[in-house]
Amino acid sequence: MGDYFSYIKDETSRKLTITLAALLEKESLDKITTSELLEQSGVSRSTFYRRYHDKYDLLTANYQQLLNATIGMVPDGMPYKTAFFNLYQVLKEHPVFFRNAFAYEGPNGLKTFIFKKSYKVFETMLRRQGVNMDSRYYQWLLSGYLNGALEISCRWIESGMKEPIDFLFRINYELIPHEIQMHLALSYT
């Protein structure tokens, strides 16, 4: 799995995540046991449980690091298009892993996690621009956009990620409500 998990700085966490990704290439998250994960990764049970509550916690930590290294960098100046391309390139490099991760609908599901993280990123940027994010109007506008964008991403993943990332970005960009684009001065380039 090479440099795919290079954003994970801790060697033990990277080893566990690489092993979990390999297991997810073969079966759903619900069928993977922690014992199987530990046996194949060579990480001891005590080391695992010092860091994580369970396999879902490991997955959530991975999502957090991935999103921090991509979408989470936008408020600090990374261009939105660059963050989007970086995130979707990672998704495209391991389609089975992410198809299985997106298919999991539980509280630690990737779709839910991306929604929450993306919401916080956009909310932070909008608040910096003076937008009243306590307003139901902006909350629902942002929620509607993010839900729509995630649905399209899920369909892209489920259909085999055939379309280029630029195509997906263009659709995603066109979905951003005008008022949000205006406040954030997001450009297509």
Side-chain angles (χ1 to χ4, degrees), residues 61-179:
N62 176 44
Y63 299 159
Q64 182 69 42
Q65 291 181 58
L66 172 60
L67 293 177
N68 283 347
T70 55
I71 299 297
M73 299 297 290
V74 173
D76 298 326
M78 178 182 279
Y80 178 68
K81 187 172 186 177
T82 301
F84 185 95
F85 270 75
N86 290 348
L87 173 60
Y88 281 81
Q89 186 58 47
V90 171
L91 299 180
K92 198 165 188 170
E93 287 172 3
H94 293 278
V96 176
F97 170 74
F98 284 106
R99 187 169 47 250
N100 284 337
F102 268 97
Y104 177 70
E105 296 285 339
N108 296 74
L110 180 56
K111 187 175 177 180
T112 301
F113 196 85
I114 289 177
F115 176 87
K116 288 177 181 178
K117 179 68 174 182
S118 297
Y119 190 95
K120 285 181 184 178
V121 165
F122 274 91
E123 180 183 39
T124 298
M125 293 187 308
L126 289 164
R127 283 187 190 278
R128 286 181 186 169
Q129 295 301 314
V131 174
N132 177 9
M133 288 306 295
D134 296 326
S135 158
R136 281 274 205 228
Y137 176 78
Y138 283 106
Q139 291 173 0
W140 289 0
L141 193 64
L142 181 56
S143 292
Y145 157 63
L146 292 173
N147 278 311
L150 277 169
E151 180 60 29
I152 288 171
S153 296
C154 287
R155 288 181 184 192
W156 178 70
I157 290 165
E158 289 166 3
S159 68
M161 303 181 192
K162 296 173 189 129
E163 295 80 12
I165 296 171
D166 191 51
F167 174 82
L168 193 65
F169 177 76
R170 181 174 170 214
I171 291 172
N172 186 285
Y173 180 81
E174 294 295 330
L175 287 174
I176 300 172
H178 177 73
E179 287 187 52

